[in-house]
Amino acid sequence: MFDLSSILVVVSYSLCDVFGLDPNEVDPSITVEGFAIPDPATLADPTAAAYAAYLRSAIPPIDLNYQFRKELVRDIRYWWLTGEGDVLLLWGPTGSGKTSVFEQWCARLGIPLFMAKGHRRFEPHEAFGQFVGGENGTTPWVDGPVTLAARYGLPCIINEYDRIAADRTIVFNDVFEGRSFPIPGKSGEVVTPQPGFRVAITANTNLVEDLSGNYGTANTHDISILERIVALHIGYPDDETETKLLEKELEQFSDDLLTYWLDQEGVKLSTQTGIKEGSAISRGEFIAGLVEVARRIRAQSKDGGNTSDAALERTMSTRILRKWARNTLAMAGTPEKLGLSALHLSLKKYLSSLATESTRIALHQAVESVFGVGERVNP
Ligand SMILES: Nc1ncnc2c1ncn2[C@@H]1O[C@H](COP(=O)(O)OP(=O)(O)OP(=O)(O)O)[C@@H](O)[C@H]1O
Ligand SMILES: [Mg+2]
């Protein structure tokens, strides 16, 4: 194979800079290695240029609003540096940042990442590759994401790993061992993973049991797999992290728009300095209210660990929190124009329409109790 060392150019990044961590909390001299893949236009050799273009396209796009948690960065870095051969399991409730933390890790470090997605009837070719119908009746072989990552010495991530029927995960045994592996379906070709090959998997459960009872399709996995895993639990971010990510998410909306909407919506919010109404509420207080709603909903939900029979089957994930906040302000005109609350309309769109009736009611009550507005806005 083509020598990739001129393409996968190793560079050292400051952990603080690259992940936006606070230099007072994390030593700025700590570094981590990633790549700077040259611009294909600068490469004279067409083969090199083609590899550079291809590998650049496999780097996940950067999410500038992403907030890294220093504990997670520390744990992922530890695995990255020492855990070659161990599989990283990122597990936790829906929309908590499992897939995105590793994608953004790779995005910021300029690392191409290959991805597969688990489901019950997962077939080996989805990870390893297959012969596909080509031109003129040919059937060329196309590598799958795990094979590609092993050949190039790069990471791959298998999302929703616990959805794969347990007896279908056996094909991963050699891969997870870090050994050379035969490619299923390619008559005996063996791939020897190149240095730098790593496997991360994500799951809602710890692969052993589903305490929330919310992930009916998750499967209990073989002990032999568990022996090869480093597990990192990813719960919802703390208030400080979610506050920061909401500040960034809402930067696009001006203060004028925010105060206009707070007045029209008739928001009444309990703040640290007492009850405030409408435009008297600051941006920071509004964001604190959003985080408070998320906290209340999570406390009542199965995903948040509530085990009572009345626990909600849906929750306010970080994913939905971001969309709910942004969409609320994007619909700032609805209270004035339609007499409807933007907070509630947006919640319906992203969460409560896809919930049972009892959960729907509880979700809207959480919004009403924090922001003091019902679905209809009083003229
Ligand atoms: N730390 C964070 N900073 C900014 N946004 C975040 C953060 N964590 C999660 N998000 C938002 O939540 C979305 C969902 O995150 P992600 O895809 O990582 O969830 P997940 O834990 O893999 O969920 P699932 O179990 O549904 O696969 C991201 O696209 C991002 O918008
Ligand atoms: Mg995911």
Side-chain angles (χ1 to χ4, degrees):
M1 199 168 92
F2 185 81
D3 175 15
L4 288 172
S5 57
S6 62
I7 305 290
L8 292 173
V9 180
V10 176
V11 286
S12 189
Y13 293 94
S14 148
L15 205 64
C16 272
D17 288 351
V18 79
F19 296 119
L21 302 174
D22 182 348
N24 297 314
E25 294 179 349
V26 176
D27 183 348
S29 68
I30 301 176
T31 58
V32 59
E33 286 183 349
F35 299 120
I37 301 177
D39 181 345
T42 64
L43 298 170
D45 174 2
T47 311
Y51 272 111
Y54 170 64
L55 290 172
R56 275 189 164 207
S57 72
I59 303 172
I62 289 180
D63 174 355
L64 286 172
N65 291 349
Y66 205 76
Q67 288 296 317
F68 287 90
R69 298 179 244 181
K70 64 174 186 301
E71 300 77 19
L72 285 179
V73 167
R74 182 194 60 207
D75 288 343
I76 294 174
R77 179 173 177 270
Y78 186 78
W79 166 72
W80 192 252
L81 293 180
T82 64
E84 224 160 309
D86 284 338
V87 172
L88 177 68
L89 166 66
L90 303 163
W91 72 283
T94 184
S96 62
K98 300 179 294 294
T99 303
S100 55
V101 73
F102 193 56
E103 273 179 7
Q104 290 305 309
W105 171 275
C106 292
R108 301 277 171 107
L109 295 176
I111 298 168
L113 172 64
F114 297 94
M115 291 187 240
K117 190 176 167 78
H119 57 91
R120 197 161 64 86
R121 296 175 181 280
F122 190 84
E123 299 281 348
H125 69 76
E126 295 174 60
F128 296 97
Q130 62 185 320
F131 292 101
V132 294
E135 285 166 19
N136 311 325
T138 57
T139 49
W141 174 267
V142 177
D143 282 336
V146 173
T147 308
L148 285 167
R151 288 196 205 278
Y152 289 124
L154 289 168
C156 71
I157 186 166
I158 306 171
N159 283 306
E160 328 288 356
Y161 180 84
D162 57 350
R163 305 296 161 96
I164 305 174
D167 60 356
R168 290 183 179 231
T169 61
I170 291 163
V171 287
F172 292 117
N173 277 7
D174 286 330
V175 178
F176 285 11
E177 282 276 20
R179 287 196 296 250
S180 299
F181 57 87
I183 301 182
K186 207 183 174 196
S187 48
E189 181 181 335
V190 170
V191 175
T192 301
Q194 295 305 299
F197 173 59
R198 288 181 184 77
V199 183
I201 60 181
T202 69
N204 291 124
T205 66
N206 65 354
L207 309 185
V208 177
E209 70 178 336
D210 170 19
L211 283 175
S212 73
N214 236 3
Y215 303 106
T217 51
N219 294 286
T220 300
H221 286 265
D222 201 318
I223 300 288
S224 63
I225 293 277
L226 303 181
E227 301 259 316
R228 269 139 223 152
I229 282 178
V230 194
L232 270 190
H233 182 254
I234 306 210
Y236 295 114
D238 60 18
D239 290 359
E240 194 191 328
T241 306
E242 283 196 327
T243 301
K244 280 196 204 140
L245 72 88
L246 287 176
E247 279 165 3
K248 287 205 173 170
E249 191 70 39
L250 300 181
E251 252 170 21
Q252 57 184 301
F253 301 103
S254 68
D255 286 341
D256 284 351
L257 179 117
L258 180 66
T259 50
Y260 156 77
W261 169 74
L262 285 164
D263 272 338
Q264 294 297 325
E265 177 103 353
V267 172
K268 271 193 217 65
L269 190 66
S270 160
T271 72
Q272 287 182 333
T273 50
I275 307 268
K276 288 191 183 171
E277 286 189 33
S279 53
I281 296 165
S282 71
R283 182 176 285 257
E285 288 161 347
F286 168 57
I287 289 174
L290 296 169
V291 173
E292 175 61 20
V293 171
R295 194 178 11 215
R296 289 190 189 187
I297 291 174
R298 286 172 193 165
Q300 291 181 64
S301 77
K302 288 184 186 170
D303 246 329
N306 187 316
T307 52
S308 78
D309 284 348
L312 312 180
E313 84 285 354
R314 297 298 312 276
T315 196
M316 179 69 85
S317 68
T318 306
R319 177 192 286 126
I320 292 177
L321 178 61
R322 260 179 93 166
K323 291 195 275 196
W324 174 52
R326 182 180 62 232
N327 193 251
T328 294
L329 292 189
M331 300 197 305
T334 53
E336 186 183 26
K337 291 195 194 109
L338 307 174
L340 294 173
S341 149
L343 281 165
H344 287 281
L345 266 188
S346 172
L347 189 75
K348 262 191 202 156
K349 220 160 140 184
Y350 291 109
L351 183 61
S352 65
S353 295
L354 300 170
T356 59
E357 182 64 6
S358 55
T359 294
R360 189 185 68 75
I361 292 168
L363 293 170
H364 286 277
Q365 268 172 0
V367 173
E368 184 157 354
S369 64
V370 171
F371 286 106
V373 277
E375 295 188 41
R376 300 211 138 266
V377 175
N378 297 328

PDB file of all heavy atoms in Angstrom, residues 78-107:
ATOM      1  N   TYR A  78      -6.294   9.197  27.948  1.00  0.00           N
ATOM      2  CA  TYR A  78      -5.589   8.087  28.599  1.00  0.00           C
ATOM      3  C   TYR A  78      -5.714   6.819  27.750  1.00  0.00           C
ATOM      4  O   TYR A  78      -4.735   6.121  27.494  1.00  0.00           O
ATOM      5  CB  TYR A  78      -6.145   7.851  30.005  1.00  0.00           C
ATOM      6  CG  TYR A  78      -5.347   6.820  30.762  1.00  0.00           C
ATOM      7  CD1 TYR A  78      -4.114   7.149  31.336  1.00  0.00           C
ATOM      8  CD2 TYR A  78      -5.800   5.504  30.875  1.00  0.00           C
ATOM      9  CE1 TYR A  78      -3.364   6.199  31.993  1.00  0.00           C
ATOM     10  CE2 TYR A  78      -5.053   4.547  31.537  1.00  0.00           C
ATOM     11  CZ  TYR A  78      -3.841   4.903  32.093  1.00  0.00           C
ATOM     12  OH  TYR A  78      -3.097   3.955  32.738  1.00  0.00           O
ATOM     13  N   TRP A  79      -6.939   6.561  27.292  1.00  0.00           N
ATOM     14  CA  TRP A  79      -7.152   5.391  26.426  1.00  0.00           C
ATOM     15  C   TRP A  79      -6.384   5.553  25.112  1.00  0.00           C
ATOM     16  O   TRP A  79      -5.747   4.626  24.612  1.00  0.00           O
ATOM     17  CB  TRP A  79      -8.652   5.235  26.148  1.00  0.00           C
ATOM     18  CG  TRP A  79      -8.976   4.296  25.029  1.00  0.00           C
ATOM     19  CD1 TRP A  79      -8.881   2.934  25.034  1.00  0.00           C
ATOM     20  CD2 TRP A  79      -9.435   4.648  23.712  1.00  0.00           C
ATOM     21  NE1 TRP A  79      -9.263   2.422  23.810  1.00  0.00           N
ATOM     22  CE2 TRP A  79      -9.608   3.455  22.986  1.00  0.00           C
ATOM     23  CE3 TRP A  79      -9.731   5.863  23.086  1.00  0.00           C
ATOM     24  CZ2 TRP A  79     -10.053   3.441  21.666  1.00  0.00           C
ATOM     25  CZ3 TRP A  79     -10.175   5.848  21.764  1.00  0.00           C
ATOM     26  CH2 TRP A  79     -10.329   4.649  21.073  1.00  0.00           C
ATOM     27  N   TRP A  80      -6.426   6.748  24.560  1.00  0.00           N
ATOM     28  CA  TRP A  80      -5.768   7.039  23.286  1.00  0.00           C
ATOM     29  C   TRP A  80      -4.266   6.752  23.380  1.00  0.00           C
ATOM     30  O   TRP A  80      -3.659   6.223  22.468  1.00  0.00           O
ATOM     31  CB  TRP A  80      -6.023   8.513  22.967  1.00  0.00           C
ATOM     32  CG  TRP A  80      -5.675   8.957  21.597  1.00  0.00           C
ATOM     33  CD1 TRP A  80      -4.617   9.746  21.239  1.00  0.00           C
ATOM     34  CD2 TRP A  80      -6.390   8.677  20.390  1.00  0.00           C
ATOM     35  NE1 TRP A  80      -4.628   9.960  19.882  1.00  0.00           N
ATOM     36  CE2 TRP A  80      -5.709   9.318  19.342  1.00  0.00           C
ATOM     37  CE3 TRP A  80      -7.539   7.939  20.093  1.00  0.00           C
ATOM     38  CZ2 TRP A  80      -6.121   9.246  18.020  1.00  0.00           C
ATOM     39  CZ3 TRP A  80      -7.963   7.871  18.777  1.00  0.00           C
ATOM     40  CH2 TRP A  80      -7.253   8.522  17.758  1.00  0.00           C
ATOM     41  N   LEU A  81      -3.688   7.102  24.537  1.00  0.00           N
ATOM     42  CA  LEU A  81      -2.237   6.951  24.686  1.00  0.00           C
ATOM     43  C   LEU A  81      -1.829   5.555  25.117  1.00  0.00           C
ATOM     44  O   LEU A  81      -0.766   5.075  24.753  1.00  0.00           O
ATOM     45  CB  LEU A  81      -1.708   7.941  25.731  1.00  0.00           C
ATOM     46  CG  LEU A  81      -1.797   9.407  25.352  1.00  0.00           C
ATOM     47  CD1 LEU A  81      -1.239  10.268  26.467  1.00  0.00           C
ATOM     48  CD2 LEU A  81      -1.048   9.670  24.062  1.00  0.00           C
ATOM     49  N   THR A  82      -2.647   4.901  25.921  1.00  0.00           N
ATOM     50  CA  THR A  82      -2.193   3.665  26.553  1.00  0.00           C
ATOM     51  C   THR A  82      -3.023   2.453  26.152  1.00  0.00           C
ATOM     52  O   THR A  82      -2.610   1.334  26.381  1.00  0.00           O
ATOM     53  CB  THR A  82      -2.285   3.763  28.082  1.00  0.00           C
ATOM     54  OG1 THR A  82      -3.670   3.915  28.415  1.00  0.00           O
ATOM     55  CG2 THR A  82      -1.494   4.932  28.623  1.00  0.00           C
ATOM     56  N   GLY A  83      -4.182   2.714  25.605  1.00  0.00           N
ATOM     57  CA  GLY A  83      -5.141   1.614  25.510  1.00  0.00           C
ATOM     58  C   GLY A  83      -5.173   0.895  24.184  1.00  0.00           C
ATOM     59  O   GLY A  83      -6.143   0.223  23.877  1.00  0.00           O
ATOM     60  N   GLU A  84      -4.134   1.030  23.380  1.00  0.00           N
ATOM     61  CA  GLU A  84      -4.169   0.349  22.089  1.00  0.00           C
ATOM     62  C   GLU A  84      -4.435  -1.137  22.346  1.00  0.00           C
ATOM     63  O   GLU A  84      -3.781  -1.758  23.166  1.00  0.00           O
ATOM     64  CB  GLU A  84      -2.858   0.547  21.339  1.00  0.00           C
ATOM     65  CG  GLU A  84      -3.107   0.866  19.885  1.00  0.00           C
ATOM     66  CD  GLU A  84      -1.916   1.520  19.236  1.00  0.00           C
ATOM     67  OE1 GLU A  84      -1.400   2.506  19.803  1.00  0.00           O
ATOM     68  OE2 GLU A  84      -1.512   1.048  18.178  1.00  0.00           O
ATOM     69  N   GLY A  85      -5.405  -1.670  21.680  1.00  0.00           N
ATOM     70  CA  GLY A  85      -5.771  -3.059  21.974  1.00  0.00           C
ATOM     71  C   GLY A  85      -7.021  -3.143  22.828  1.00  0.00           C
ATOM     72  O   GLY A  85      -7.731  -4.124  22.778  1.00  0.00           O
ATOM     73  N   ASP A  86      -7.290  -2.092  23.609  1.00  0.00           N
ATOM     74  CA  ASP A  86      -8.552  -2.085  24.354  1.00  0.00           C
ATOM     75  C   ASP A  86      -9.610  -1.357  23.534  1.00  0.00           C
ATOM     76  O   ASP A  86      -9.307  -0.394  22.837  1.00  0.00           O
ATOM     77  CB  ASP A  86      -8.405  -1.322  25.675  1.00  0.00           C
ATOM     78  CG  ASP A  86      -7.658  -2.131  26.717  1.00  0.00           C
ATOM     79  OD1 ASP A  86      -7.623  -3.371  26.590  1.00  0.00           O
ATOM     80  OD2 ASP A  86      -7.104  -1.520  27.641  1.00  0.00           O
ATOM     81  N   VAL A  87     -10.828  -1.815  23.683  1.00  0.00           N
ATOM     82  CA  VAL A  87     -11.931  -1.152  22.990  1.00  0.00           C
ATOM     83  C   VAL A  87     -12.556  -0.144  23.953  1.00  0.00           C
ATOM     84  O   VAL A  87     -12.796  -0.465  25.116  1.00  0.00           O
ATOM     85  CB  VAL A  87     -12.981  -2.202  22.568  1.00  0.00           C
ATOM     86  CG1 VAL A  87     -14.223  -1.540  22.016  1.00  0.00           C
ATOM     87  CG2 VAL A  87     -12.376  -3.147  21.541  1.00  0.00           C
ATOM     88  N   LEU A  88     -12.790   1.062  23.479  1.00  0.00           N
ATOM     89  CA  LEU A  88     -13.416   2.081  24.333  1.00  0.00           C
ATOM     90  C   LEU A  88     -14.929   1.981  24.198  1.00  0.00           C
ATOM     91  O   LEU A  88     -15.460   2.102  23.088  1.00  0.00           O
ATOM     92  CB  LEU A  88     -12.953   3.466  23.891  1.00  0.00           C
ATOM     93  CG  LEU A  88     -13.567   4.649  24.642  1.00  0.00           C
ATOM     94  CD1 LEU A  88     -13.076   4.685  26.089  1.00  0.00           C
ATOM     95  CD2 LEU A  88     -13.228   5.969  23.947  1.00  0.00           C
ATOM     96  N   LEU A  89     -15.592   1.741  25.307  1.00  0.00           N
ATOM     97  CA  LEU A  89     -17.061   1.751  25.303  1.00  0.00           C
ATOM     98  C   LEU A  89     -17.547   3.059  25.925  1.00  0.00           C
ATOM     99  O   LEU A  89     -17.254   3.353  27.083  1.00  0.00           O
ATOM    100  CB  LEU A  89     -17.624   0.578  26.127  1.00  0.00           C
ATOM    101  CG  LEU A  89     -19.122   0.671  26.471  1.00  0.00           C
ATOM    102  CD1 LEU A  89     -20.001   0.579  25.222  1.00  0.00           C
ATOM    103  CD2 LEU A  89     -19.535  -0.423  27.467  1.00  0.00           C
ATOM    104  N   LEU A  90     -18.270   3.850  25.147  1.00  0.00           N
ATOM    105  CA  LEU A  90     -18.896   5.065  25.667  1.00  0.00           C
ATOM    106  C   LEU A  90     -20.363   4.719  25.856  1.00  0.00           C
ATOM    107  O   LEU A  90     -21.056   4.427  24.882  1.00  0.00           O
ATOM    108  CB  LEU A  90     -18.727   6.201  24.660  1.00  0.00           C
ATOM    109  CG  LEU A  90     -17.279   6.520  24.285  1.00  0.00           C
ATOM    110  CD1 LEU A  90     -17.209   7.349  23.012  1.00  0.00           C
ATOM    111  CD2 LEU A  90     -16.587   7.245  25.428  1.00  0.00           C
ATOM    112  N   TRP A  91     -20.824   4.699  27.102  1.00  0.00           N
ATOM    113  CA  TRP A  91     -22.210   4.276  27.311  1.00  0.00           C
ATOM    114  C   TRP A  91     -22.948   5.278  28.197  1.00  0.00           C
ATOM    115  O   TRP A  91     -22.348   5.961  29.030  1.00  0.00           O
ATOM    116  CB  TRP A  91     -22.275   2.868  27.900  1.00  0.00           C
ATOM    117  CG  TRP A  91     -21.853   2.741  29.333  1.00  0.00           C
ATOM    118  CD1 TRP A  91     -20.570   2.745  29.801  1.00  0.00           C
ATOM    119  CD2 TRP A  91     -22.709   2.598  30.467  1.00  0.00           C
ATOM    120  NE1 TRP A  91     -20.570   2.605  31.153  1.00  0.00           N
ATOM    121  CE2 TRP A  91     -21.869   2.520  31.601  1.00  0.00           C
ATOM    122  CE3 TRP A  91     -24.090   2.525  30.636  1.00  0.00           C
ATOM    123  CZ2 TRP A  91     -22.385   2.366  32.903  1.00  0.00           C
ATOM    124  CZ3 TRP A  91     -24.585   2.375  31.926  1.00  0.00           C
ATOM    125  CH2 TRP A  91     -23.751   2.297  33.035  1.00  0.00           C
ATOM    126  N   GLY A  92     -24.259   5.364  27.983  1.00  0.00           N
ATOM    127  CA  GLY A  92     -25.055   6.298  28.762  1.00  0.00           C
ATOM    128  C   GLY A  92     -26.345   6.628  28.028  1.00  0.00           C
ATOM    129  O   GLY A  92     -26.588   6.121  26.931  1.00  0.00           O
ATOM    130  N   PRO A  93     -27.156   7.484  28.633  1.00  0.00           N
ATOM    131  CA  PRO A  93     -28.485   7.741  28.083  1.00  0.00           C
ATOM    132  C   PRO A  93     -28.455   8.433  26.719  1.00  0.00           C
ATOM    133  O   PRO A  93     -27.431   8.969  26.310  1.00  0.00           O
ATOM    134  CB  PRO A  93     -29.137   8.657  29.131  1.00  0.00           C
ATOM    135  CG  PRO A  93     -28.010   9.295  29.852  1.00  0.00           C
ATOM    136  CD  PRO A  93     -26.899   8.285  29.846  1.00  0.00           C
ATOM    137  N   THR A  94     -29.580   8.438  26.089  1.00  0.00           N
ATOM    138  CA  THR A  94     -29.682   8.978  24.739  1.00  0.00           C
ATOM    139  C   THR A  94     -29.304  10.464  24.688  1.00  0.00           C
ATOM    140  O   THR A  94     -29.637  11.218  25.597  1.00  0.00           O
ATOM    141  CB  THR A  94     -31.107   8.746  24.195  1.00  0.00           C
ATOM    142  OG1 THR A  94     -31.157   9.192  22.861  1.00  0.00           O
ATOM    143  CG2 THR A  94     -32.165   9.494  24.977  1.00  0.00           C
ATOM    144  N   GLY A  95     -28.608  10.835  23.637  1.00  0.00           N
ATOM    145  CA  GLY A  95     -28.275  12.249  23.406  1.00  0.00           C
ATOM    146  C   GLY A  95     -27.421  12.892  24.478  1.00  0.00           C
ATOM    147  O   GLY A  95     -27.523  14.092  24.727  1.00  0.00           O
ATOM    148  N   SER A  96     -26.556  12.112  25.127  1.00  0.00           N
ATOM    149  CA  SER A  96     -25.740  12.684  26.205  1.00  0.00           C
ATOM    150  C   SER A  96     -24.360  13.104  25.708  1.00  0.00           C
ATOM    151  O   SER A  96     -23.615  13.755  26.432  1.00  0.00           O
ATOM    152  CB  SER A  96     -25.588  11.676  27.348  1.00  0.00           C
ATOM    153  OG  SER A  96     -24.911  10.521  26.891  1.00  0.00           O
ATOM    154  N   GLY A  97     -24.019  12.713  24.492  1.00  0.00           N
ATOM    155  CA  GLY A  97     -22.727  13.136  23.945  1.00  0.00           C
ATOM    156  C   GLY A  97     -21.740  11.998  23.726  1.00  0.00           C
ATOM    157  O   GLY A  97     -20.539  12.237  23.641  1.00  0.00           O
ATOM    158  N   LYS A  98     -22.226  10.769  23.595  1.00  0.00           N
ATOM    159  CA  LYS A  98     -21.321   9.625  23.427  1.00  0.00           C
ATOM    160  C   LYS A  98     -20.666   9.641  22.044  1.00  0.00           C
ATOM    161  O   LYS A  98     -19.451   9.612  21.924  1.00  0.00           O
ATOM    162  CB  LYS A  98     -22.111   8.310  23.593  1.00  0.00           C
ATOM    163  CG  LYS A  98     -22.769   8.198  24.956  1.00  0.00           C
ATOM    164  CD  LYS A  98     -23.557   6.913  25.086  1.00  0.00           C
ATOM    165  CE  LYS A  98     -24.760   6.833  24.157  1.00  0.00           C
ATOM    166  NZ  LYS A  98     -25.803   7.834  24.469  1.00  0.00           N
ATOM    167  N   THR A  99     -21.496   9.672  21.021  1.00  0.00           N
ATOM    168  CA  THR A  99     -20.959   9.664  19.662  1.00  0.00           C
ATOM    169  C   THR A  99     -20.213  10.970  19.400  1.00  0.00           C
ATOM    170  O   THR A  99     -19.107  10.970  18.864  1.00  0.00           O
ATOM    171  CB  THR A  99     -22.112   9.512  18.643  1.00  0.00           C
ATOM    172  OG1 THR A  99     -22.831   8.311  18.951  1.00  0.00           O
ATOM    173  CG2 THR A  99     -21.596   9.462  17.235  1.00  0.00           C
ATOM    174  N   SER A 100     -20.821  12.072  19.811  1.00  0.00           N
ATOM    175  CA  SER A 100     -20.244  13.367  19.437  1.00  0.00           C
ATOM    176  C   SER A 100     -18.921  13.634  20.137  1.00  0.00           C
ATOM    177  O   SER A 100     -18.061  14.300  19.572  1.00  0.00           O
ATOM    178  CB  SER A 100     -21.240  14.494  19.688  1.00  0.00           C
ATOM    179  OG  SER A 100     -21.685  14.491  21.019  1.00  0.00           O
ATOM    180  N   VAL A 101     -18.720  13.129  21.358  1.00  0.00           N
ATOM    181  CA  VAL A 101     -17.450  13.453  22.017  1.00  0.00           C
ATOM    182  C   VAL A 101     -16.289  12.823  21.249  1.00  0.00           C
ATOM    183  O   VAL A 101     -15.243  13.450  21.061  1.00  0.00           O
ATOM    184  CB  VAL A 101     -17.430  13.058  23.519  1.00  0.00           C
ATOM    185  CG1 VAL A 101     -17.317  11.561  23.728  1.00  0.00           C
ATOM    186  CG2 VAL A 101     -16.277  13.753  24.225  1.00  0.00           C
ATOM    187  N   PHE A 102     -16.489  11.613  20.735  1.00  0.00           N
ATOM    188  CA  PHE A 102     -15.383  10.989  20.004  1.00  0.00           C
ATOM    189  C   PHE A 102     -15.262  11.578  18.591  1.00  0.00           C
ATOM    190  O   PHE A 102     -14.150  11.783  18.089  1.00  0.00           O
ATOM    191  CB  PHE A 102     -15.549   9.460  19.963  1.00  0.00           C
ATOM    192  CG  PHE A 102     -14.302   8.771  19.500  1.00  0.00           C
ATOM    193  CD1 PHE A 102     -13.096   8.984  20.156  1.00  0.00           C
ATOM    194  CD2 PHE A 102     -14.310   7.959  18.385  1.00  0.00           C
ATOM    195  CE1 PHE A 102     -11.917   8.378  19.712  1.00  0.00           C
ATOM    196  CE2 PHE A 102     -13.137   7.343  17.932  1.00  0.00           C
ATOM    197  CZ  PHE A 102     -11.945   7.557  18.598  1.00  0.00           C
ATOM    198  N   GLU A 103     -16.407  11.891  17.978  1.00  0.00           N
ATOM    199  CA  GLU A 103     -16.354  12.561  16.670  1.00  0.00           C
ATOM    200  C   GLU A 103     -15.623  13.894  16.782  1.00  0.00           C
ATOM    201  O   GLU A 103     -14.804  14.243  15.937  1.00  0.00           O
ATOM    202  CB  GLU A 103     -17.771  12.850  16.173  1.00  0.00           C
ATOM    203  CG  GLU A 103     -18.398  11.720  15.421  1.00  0.00           C
ATOM    204  CD  GLU A 103     -19.813  12.075  14.972  1.00  0.00           C
ATOM    205  OE1 GLU A 103     -20.247  13.237  15.136  1.00  0.00           O
ATOM    206  OE2 GLU A 103     -20.477  11.172  14.479  1.00  0.00           O
ATOM    207  N   GLN A 104     -15.958  14.657  17.831  1.00  0.00           N
ATOM    208  CA  GLN A 104     -15.334  15.972  17.971  1.00  0.00           C
ATOM    209  C   GLN A 104     -13.873  15.856  18.392  1.00  0.00           C
ATOM    210  O   GLN A 104     -13.060  16.709  18.065  1.00  0.00           O
ATOM    211  CB  GLN A 104     -16.144  16.856  18.934  1.00  0.00           C
ATOM    212  CG  GLN A 104     -17.481  17.280  18.361  1.00  0.00           C
ATOM    213  CD  GLN A 104     -17.322  17.979  17.014  1.00  0.00           C
ATOM    214  OE1 GLN A 104     -16.543  18.912  16.859  1.00  0.00           O
ATOM    215  NE2 GLN A 104     -18.046  17.512  15.997  1.00  0.00           N
ATOM    216  N   TRP A 105     -13.548  14.811  19.143  1.00  0.00           N
ATOM    217  CA  TRP A 105     -12.143  14.513  19.452  1.00  0.00           C
ATOM    218  C   TRP A 105     -11.371  14.397  18.130  1.00  0.00           C
ATOM    219  O   TRP A 105     -10.346  15.040  17.927  1.00  0.00           O
ATOM    220  CB  TRP A 105     -12.073  13.211  20.257  1.00  0.00           C
ATOM    221  CG  TRP A 105     -10.703  12.648  20.466  1.00  0.00           C
ATOM    222  CD1 TRP A 105     -10.020  11.835  19.609  1.00  0.00           C
ATOM    223  CD2 TRP A 105      -9.842  12.865  21.593  1.00  0.00           C
ATOM    224  NE1 TRP A 105      -8.796  11.517  20.132  1.00  0.00           N
ATOM    225  CE2 TRP A 105      -8.649  12.133  21.346  1.00  0.00           C
ATOM    226  CE3 TRP A 105      -9.953  13.586  22.784  1.00  0.00           C
ATOM    227  CZ2 TRP A 105      -7.592  12.104  22.250  1.00  0.00           C
ATOM    228  CZ3 TRP A 105      -8.892  13.558  23.678  1.00  0.00           C
ATOM    229  CH2 TRP A 105      -7.736  12.835  23.415  1.00  0.00           C
ATOM    230  N   CYS A 106     -11.886  13.587  17.226  1.00  0.00           N
ATOM    231  CA  CYS A 106     -11.227  13.379  15.935  1.00  0.00           C
ATOM    232  C   CYS A 106     -11.269  14.653  15.086  1.00  0.00           C
ATOM    233  O   CYS A 106     -10.291  15.011  14.430  1.00  0.00           O
ATOM    234  CB  CYS A 106     -11.886  12.218  15.186  1.00  0.00           C
ATOM    235  SG  CYS A 106     -11.607  10.625  15.985  1.00  0.00           S
ATOM    236  N   ALA A 107     -12.411  15.345  15.125  1.00  0.00           N
ATOM    237  CA  ALA A 107     -12.559  16.563  14.315  1.00  0.00           C
ATOM    238  C   ALA A 107     -11.479  17.579  14.676  1.00  0.00           C
ATOM    239  O   ALA A 107     -10.793  18.121  13.809  1.00  0.00           O
ATOM    240  CB  ALA A 107     -13.949  17.170  14.524  1.00  0.00           C
TER     241      ALA A 107
END
